[in-house]
Amino acid sequence: MANFSLFRLGRFIRSIFVPTASIVAFSCLLTYIFVLYQPTPGPGSVQRIGWQSWDIIQEYNGQASSTSSGSTEVLESPGSGSHVDGVDWWDVSTGAENTVDTASLPLDVWDPLMQHDTGLSEIHITECVVDPWFVPSIAADICDPSTTKEDDALKGKWVRVDRNLKEQMGMKSLNVYYRRTRRHDVPLVTELKVLPDKETPSPFSDAWHRVAHPVNPAGQKRYLWYKTDKTWRDMTDAERRNDIVTEIDVLFGSDVPWYGFEKVDQATFDGAGRQEPVWLTYRKGIKPPPRAPPLHFSRDGNFKIMQIADLHYSVSVGACRDTPFDPCPGSDNLTSTLLGRMLDAEKPDLVVFTGDQLNGQGTSWDSKSVLAKFAKAVTQRGIPWAAVFGNHDDEDGASREAQIKYMQGLPYSLVEAGPKDIHGVGNYVLKVKSADPSMTHLLTLYFLDSGSYYAGIFDAWFGFFTPTEYDYLRQDQIDWFLQESASINAIERPFHPDGAKDMGDIWKRQAADQVIPGSRRLAKPNALMFFHIPLAESYAAADIDPKTGRALDRGISDLEEPGAAKRQAGFFHKGLLQASESDHLAGGHVPEVKVVANGHCHLTENCKRVKGVWLCFGGGGSYSGYGKVGFDRRFRIYDISDYGETIRTYKRTEHDEIVDDMILAGRGAPSPYEGVV
């Protein structure tokens, strides 16, 4: 009986063991494959066997490029902290070098910001009943040019230029396609021409090819011609650098193309009525945008900032608003000319665009064409610049995320996207350092995205209504600002380039209840902050100057209604007033941020001090934005001296008048605020 029972028990155990073991083993296998297995990095993890060569698939960082022959183009990188003896540390032309092989750039992806050196072998144009942007997978089968595996291997795969030449004309799409190749035995494109039907390039040769489909979206037929007369190995080094067409793009409007690109000699469409001209543009060789040097004071302790507010540029040449000019053609170009004159007069070290660079309102539908021109007066003069967004910038056209990438691809740009986990795009910090080898941080510049329009529950969830209420700085932006402020180290102030190193007794010398300008102390550097939409406190009662008994408020503020958002998260009280320049009790509660600079309100240009913080407007500087006849366009200047201790501001008008010159901080400034914060 016992044997029988043990036998049955054994059979029972065996019957459940096999499926149980199988389940456990299978679970372990899945856990290993999807959780525990970490393959060893190797060529296969970043490369794939592709057509013509190994194509490395990785994000392009824009810092360097290589030649198709396998050599490497070297682009220098600033800010490494090292410098050549006898050369200023901020000189980016002699900094540490960073090299990236452009073989890492994918050949089958269109991105005009990539600095390809590989040439194009064939060009095609297709018209499609649907825009490939809507349904890429289906449209690729319908719209892409026909090909074979042999042609793909020899000439490269077809790449679509993601710019619809018929953007202004209904649902159909008209796109340029090209093949890109690394092969050295395939003739490469060196010239492009757009010509009317029945015309040919002169002088003509068999190297010229006409694309079968017309390139013009409407009107008399025009055709794209391209020339392929030499292979890579038949070219000289100079021809490889300067003659090979490496990218194609499209420009809408009549202004400048993207940096490094040229227009084909004739437009594909001349424009008609409210439709703008359309141009094919191309780049030859590698033309990386010049980079801005690290921000720094002059050797005698000066640093100047020009604020440019509310340009309101469009794809078109712009329409003048509220100006005495008659006629007034091309307001965008008139504004750029005015900007150039102001820049030549002031010679700033930094330009800050404080939002509404783009007009929105249906006129900046192609953001890239507008961004190509908005900063040209600044970039042509080699001036570093930064920017924040306004409420109109992404009303139509590209998103803020896309616009940030475009702006980072322009010359001398210091724009940053900022952290992705807080509200807005473009919350970042720039630091201005001393010119001596110590590179001491002497001035902090905060940039925040004040948003566009606040979307309520119906707008956010259902999209029934277009929001009209202005957005505001959110709690996570307050937290971010306080975190950034807390990370800034105190320095010995006022700064001296050859200052003593002994700071052991500075805290002891900070015994007064208020800081005396010029006295030595440990404190964070002064700071300025830039964002577009003003705070509600910009319209609050101003501090009173104890010496004069007058309100600390200079400038015009009564020509328009207040422009602050109705909703507020308390940025002024919970952020600005909480970030002091020193944690030492004897130093008093002096705000780190001395000035907040806003745009948004074109007819408001006053500076007002509220609880120790100056809240200043830039005033409208563009003929393309609203204004008032008799109210000059103007630009606010911040002239910082004494190695960051003294902050002076004034406005320069279009008639070169200096208005409301005043000291905001440092020697000659009003007495510090002594009320309760």
Side-chain angles (χ1 to χ4, degrees), residues 513-536:
D513 290 336
Q514 72 177 39
V515 176
I516 301 173
S519 62
R520 296 182 67 198
R521 65 194 188 279
L522 279 178
K524 296 176 187 175
N526 282 332
L528 283 77
M529 181 176 286
F530 300 87
F531 53 88
H532 183 70
I533 299 175
L535 300 172

Side-chain angles (χ1 to χ4, degrees), residues 438-627:
S438 73
M439 296 185 287
T440 303
H441 172 195
L442 299 179
L443 180 70
T444 308
L445 306 176
Y446 293 100
F447 302 85
L448 289 95
D449 182 5
S450 57
S452 52
Y453 300 96
Y454 175 75
I457 185 170
F458 289 103
D459 307 314
W461 288 94
F462 304 106
F464 291 150
F465 308 103
T466 300
T468 57
E469 183 179 323
Y470 292 133
D471 210 344
Y472 59 99
L473 295 171
R474 307 299 180 89
Q475 181 61 49
D476 57 2
Q477 291 173 290
I478 297 174
D479 298 337
W480 170 82
F481 162 62
L482 292 176
Q483 180 180 352
E484 290 293 328
S485 174
S487 68
I488 294 174
N489 295 323
I491 62 171
E492 182 182 0
R493 294 176 52 187
F495 172 80
H496 299 285
D498 55 348
K501 301 300 182 182
D502 181 16
M503 298 189 294
D505 62 341
I506 291 179
W507 288 117
K508 299 177 183 178
R509 295 197 295 270
Q510 288 186 206
D513 290 336
Q514 72 177 39
V515 176
I516 301 173
S519 62
R520 296 182 67 198
R521 65 194 188 279
L522 279 178
K524 296 176 187 175
N526 282 332
L528 283 77
M529 181 176 286
F530 300 87
F531 53 88
H532 183 70
I533 299 175
L535 300 172
E537 287 76 11
S538 293
Y539 302 95
D543 296 344
I544 301 299
D545 189 338
K547 293 183 178 179
T548 64
R550 296 179 179 178
L552 293 172
D553 184 359
R554 289 185 64 180
I556 299 172
S557 60
D558 58 355
L559 296 180
E560 59 185 329
E561 294 296 318
K566 295 179 181 179
R567 299 171 186 265
Q568 298 286 326
F571 189 87
F572 185 81
H573 290 277
K574 295 158 61 176
L576 291 171
L577 296 187
Q578 299 306 310
S580 59
E581 69 173 25
S582 174
D583 295 329
H584 198 276
L585 296 178
H589 191 85
V590 179
E592 175 202 2
V593 176
K594 302 301 187 295
V595 183
V596 172
N598 300 126
H600 190 54
C601 303
H602 305 191
L603 301 178
T604 303
E605 46 88 272
N606 66 316
C607 252
K608 172 192 296 186
R609 201 182 79 177
V610 179
K611 295 187 181 298
V613 180
W614 287 95
L615 306 174
C616 301
F617 289 87
S622 175
Y623 300 121
S624 299
Y626 76 83

